[in-house]
Amino acid sequence: MITNNIERIHFDSMNTCHLCMMELENVYEALVLSPEEIDLLDMPKRSFTVHFPVRMDSGKTKMFVGHRVQYNDARGPTKGGIRYHPKLELDGLKNLAFLMALKCALVNIPFGGAKGGIVVDTKKISRGELESITRAYIREISDIMGPFKDIPAPDAYTDENVMVWILDEFERIKGRHVPAIVTGKPIELGGSQVRTISTALGGIFVLEKALQTIEMEVGSPCVAIQGFRNVGKNAAKILHEKGYRICAVSDSSGGIRNVNGIDIPKLIEHKHQTGSVLDFPDTTKISNEELLVSDCGILIPAALSKQIGKDNSADIKAKVILELANAPTTLEASRSLVDRGVLVIPDILANAGGVVVSYFEWIQNLNQDYWKEEKVLERLRYTMTTAFASVHNVCTNQNCSMRRAALQFAIRSILHAERLRGNLQP
Ligand code: NAD
């Protein structure tokens, strides 16, 4: 568990914040926001830093630093991941917490945004130490958590095991069961069906709705997918099952291509056995750069940020880009792609399926009523396609990109809630 490249995650999250914040400045301008509105949006409601001792395996005590930012709760309790990283900083978390508030507003689920974590390198500690550090952090922040206050979820270097420790520690402190305190739990402890594929599936629901609504000619029916782990692999599997032809995929070791389509279930088995997608029978080896500009109708970046920039955007052949990764396209590249008619489905919408199913998990926990897979699928489809329709509506009325429209919609929604609460002038 928890084996990704730590440097990469840190770098990616900085890019994600930076790109989103740059576009936000333009959105504020387009919406002609008042100074009061900008002030309200620019500051997190609460941010906490805690320091706590943990007895390590060596018997010595070490001090750790944890943070939690609750950015905006006008629309509901704050919701957002807990990440573990040696370079975790409060400022980065503030931006990511704001992004969560925007994402929840965009898909119209009744949550505000939060983010938090611990400054720790998970590769340098034992599993027992990881558990002790997690439990100690929760003891420090339990007063500011709650199913109607702030609900954590997994993020970089935290997973469902960490969520179980969070649940257990919180319930020990409160002396009762509180399953809705955290999402991303295993099904046996109140997790939701569909959670593991929710990000990929949510994006695909939006993709299909977009293709249907815009009636656009995708050109080559091939799909190319960058990244083949959590999000990319599930996207490939779902699209393959739906009958799409996946003609190129890649992971950190490089890419493979077969214009006639790749057998995805067999490739998943191959990756499981060999650790990479390379050397899969009946495919040609390509580089990651080649994958991005390969002849395909739909391109799905599902790995890193800043993969499509000024150097390669003119060579992109896809007619549709579904941004399942966070910030895979630079703003300049995104604008030039949109200008030449490429449909760029922005990350804030495309990868929101994860938080939507987290919301479903929370509802199921509160009601102690667990849904069948079909119900989760139906409600995820409804939520994602409704969000797409709202964004498309803004795009049509304002003649702007989907990214701009999505941010405008989310900001308006948060400000509307603040206005209803009396925090802004009517
Ligand atoms: P992951 O770590 O499970 O998978 C990342 C994949 O990218 C791996 O297959 C890795 O080999 C590949 N990769 C790394 N470097 C690469 C390179 N240079 N070229 C091509 N592939 C490369 O991560 P994930 O959970 O699948 O997330 C992928 C992206 O989606 C990230 O940007 C993440 O922030 C975003 N995202 C994920 C979720 C989620 O639910 N997991 C939700 C929202 C956004």
Side-chain angles (χ1 to χ4, degrees):
M1 78 166 190
I2 312 178
T3 52
N4 290 342
N5 179 322
I6 280 196
E7 289 303 324
R8 197 262 291 166
I9 298 258
H10 183 64
F11 177 72
D12 267 11
S13 62
M14 296 314 290
N15 281 333
T16 306
C17 298
H18 185 61
L19 291 177
C20 181
M21 295 305 142
M22 275 165 64
E23 183 65 351
L24 268 178
E25 282 173 25
N26 300 325
V27 173
Y28 287 0
E29 228 177 277
L31 286 175
V32 200
L33 297 188
S34 69
E36 292 83 2
E37 289 170 327
I38 294 177
D39 275 355
L40 195 146
L41 291 170
D42 271 356
M43 289 176 211
K45 183 155 187 177
R46 302 181 198 95
S47 55
F48 302 88
T49 297
V50 292
H51 301 90
F52 51 93
V54 176
R55 279 282 286 280
M56 305 303 278
D57 291 349
S58 65
K60 290 198 170 140
T61 297
K62 196 172 166 192
M63 289 302 291
F64 284 88
V65 181
H67 304 290
R68 185 73 180 164
V69 178
Q70 299 170 342
Y71 202 92
N72 182 291
D73 62 358
R75 302 185 68 263
T78 52
K79 180 95 191 77
I82 287 187
R83 54 173 56 192
Y84 293 170
H85 195 284
K87 292 184 183 161
L88 195 76
E89 281 165 11
L90 195 57
D91 274 351
L93 290 174
K94 285 178 187 168
N95 290 339
L96 288 167
F98 186 21
L99 221 59
M100 276 304 296
L102 293 169
K103 201 177 269 192
C104 293
L106 174 62
V107 291
N108 195 19
I109 57 178
F111 288 141
K115 204 65 130 188
I118 303 175
V119 183
V120 61
D121 186 343
T122 54
K123 289 181 175 172
K124 295 189 177 154
I125 55 172
S126 70
R127 194 178 163 72
E129 288 171 334
L130 186 69
E131 177 175 349
S132 303
I133 295 165
T134 302
R135 288 183 182 275
Y137 170 63
I138 295 309
R139 287 195 292 277
E140 293 303 321
I141 66 164
S142 64
D143 277 352
I144 58 160
M145 295 168 65
F148 296 104
K149 272 189 192 171
D150 182 16
I151 307 127
D155 203 280
Y157 294 95
T158 57
D159 58 13
E160 64 173 27
N161 298 302
V162 176
M163 298 307 113
V164 171
W165 296 328
I166 292 176
L167 172 77
D168 188 67
E169 192 62 31
F170 188 84
E171 291 185 339
R172 282 182 196 209
I173 294 165
K174 300 295 171 192
R176 60 191 156 87
H177 284 288
V178 196
I181 180 55
V182 62
T183 61
K185 303 179 292 292
I187 294 215
E188 298 81 353
L189 289 179
S192 179
Q193 299 287 342
V194 185
R195 178 180 65 84
T196 49
I197 59 164
S198 54
T199 301
L201 186 59
I204 290 166
F205 283 151
V206 172
L207 171 73
E208 293 200 314
K209 187 69 183 174
L211 295 177
Q212 193 191 341
T213 310
I214 298 169
E215 288 180 357
M216 81 180 281
E217 192 47 65
V218 173
S220 162
C222 275
V223 182
I225 303 178
Q226 185 194 44
F228 201 72
R229 203 154 168 259
N230 184 352
V231 177
K233 182 183 70 186
N234 283 317
K237 188 162 173 273
I238 297 163
L239 288 169
H240 180 80
E241 279 163 9
K242 283 176 173 280
Y244 286 78
R245 183 145 49 93
I246 316 295
C247 52
V249 301
S250 67
D251 60 21
S252 55
S253 49
I256 55 170
R257 179 169 165 78
N258 177 347
V259 281
N260 297 317
I262 298 169
D263 185 333
I264 298 297
K266 285 196 179 138
L267 177 63
I268 291 173
E269 192 53 43
H270 172 83
K271 167 124 183 168
H272 187 64
Q273 280 164 7
T274 66
S276 95
V277 297
L278 298 184
D279 302 321
F280 186 62
D282 299 327
T283 59
T284 321
K285 188 176 177 198
I286 55 170
S287 66
N288 260 302
E289 293 70 31
E290 287 168 329
L291 175 132
L292 294 169
V293 298
S294 64
D295 193 8
C296 63
I298 300 167
L299 174 62
I300 304 185
L304 308 173
S305 65
K306 279 187 160 180
Q307 293 301 291
I308 304 168
K310 65 175 176 355
D311 293 343
N312 62 358
S313 64
D315 300 323
I316 300 280
K317 296 178 190 67
K319 293 281 189 336
V320 179
I321 298 177
L322 179 69
E323 292 188 337
L324 289 184
N326 280 319
T329 318
T330 67
L331 281 186
E332 300 74 16
S334 182
R335 283 187 196 127
S336 77
L337 287 161
V338 172
D339 285 349
R340 62 181 176 86
V342 178
L343 177 69
V344 181
I345 304 177
D347 50 3
I348 186 173
L349 173 64
N351 67 30
V355 72
V356 172
V357 173
S358 271
Y359 165 54
F360 298 159
E361 182 176 335
W362 179 77
I363 299 178
Q364 293 171 71
N365 296 154
L366 290 177
N367 293 334
Q368 287 292 298
D369 174 21
Y370 288 89
W371 302 352
K372 290 208 167 95
E373 184 181 333
E374 297 74 45
K375 180 164 175 180
V376 181
L377 292 173
E378 181 205 312
R379 292 206 49 175
L380 178 62
R381 179 195 291 277
Y382 174 80
T383 308
M384 297 303 292
T385 54
T386 304
F388 167 78
S390 309
V391 173
H392 181 57
N393 198 18
V394 179
C395 284
T396 316
N397 290 338
Q398 314 243 337
N399 192 23
C400 66
S401 70
M402 282 187 78
R403 192 181 316 279
R404 180 74 62 95
L407 289 170
Q408 282 199 21
F409 182 88
I411 286 170
R412 270 190 211 277
S413 164
I414 292 173
L415 291 176
H416 182 60
E418 295 284 13
R419 205 162 285 118
L420 288 173
R421 285 174 180 277
N423 295 330
L424 288 169
Q425 281 180 357

